[in-house]
Each structure stands twice: as structure tokens, then as C-alpha cells.
Amino acid sequence: MPAQRSLEQSSTFEYRLAQEAINLRLQARGMPAGVRRTELLRKARQIDVAGDINKWLTSPGLQPPS
């Protein structure tokens, strides 16, 4: 288990999110239209949005509330 943790920590959060979205889209590509395929594509879009929000939150221009 420790070897797996060090592998996860070697890549950035944004990279891991992007890879997960790609994997979900690849899974969905091989499926017929239906609920499961729709769920996979929805999850991929949610992950894309999470990455965008993370970029915004960690941007240097973001100011704390006053």
C-alpha cells in the first residue's frame, strides 16, 4: 500500500483529475447508449468542473474575502 501512496503523490491533483475524466470517457465510449453511459459522461464533466474550480481557487490572483 505505501508504494501506491507515493505514486499518487508524485502527480498533481489536476493531472489525476484529468486522467480520471479521460478514463471515464474511454469507458463510456465502449458502451451502448443508456443510463450507465450517461452516468460515466456526467461524472467526467463533474471532474472537469472540479479541476476548473481548483485552478480558480489556487490561482495567485484570488483574494480572500474582506
Side-chain angles (χ1 to χ4, degrees):
M1 193 73 158
Q4 190 175 21
R5 284 182 176 252
S6 65
L7 177 64
E8 285 181 21
Q9 293 173 356
S10 67
S11 60
T12 65
F13 180 64
E14 291 86 8
Y15 178 79
R16 292 192 313 267
L17 285 176
Q19 287 301 114
E20 182 63 19
I22 289 169
N23 290 337
L24 290 170
R25 285 188 176 94
L26 288 174
Q27 287 178 30
R29 183 183 298 168
M31 294 186 159
V35 174
R36 179 69 178 138
R37 181 173 188 248
T38 302
E39 288 173 353
L40 290 171
L41 293 173
R42 180 180 302 133
K43 182 74 172 177
R45 284 191 302 271
Q46 289 173 340
I47 290 172
D48 289 339
V49 170
D52 292 342
I53 290 171
N54 186 63
K55 285 180 193 173
W56 176 70
L57 289 173
T58 58
S59 70
L62 186 63
Q63 299 296 317
S66 53

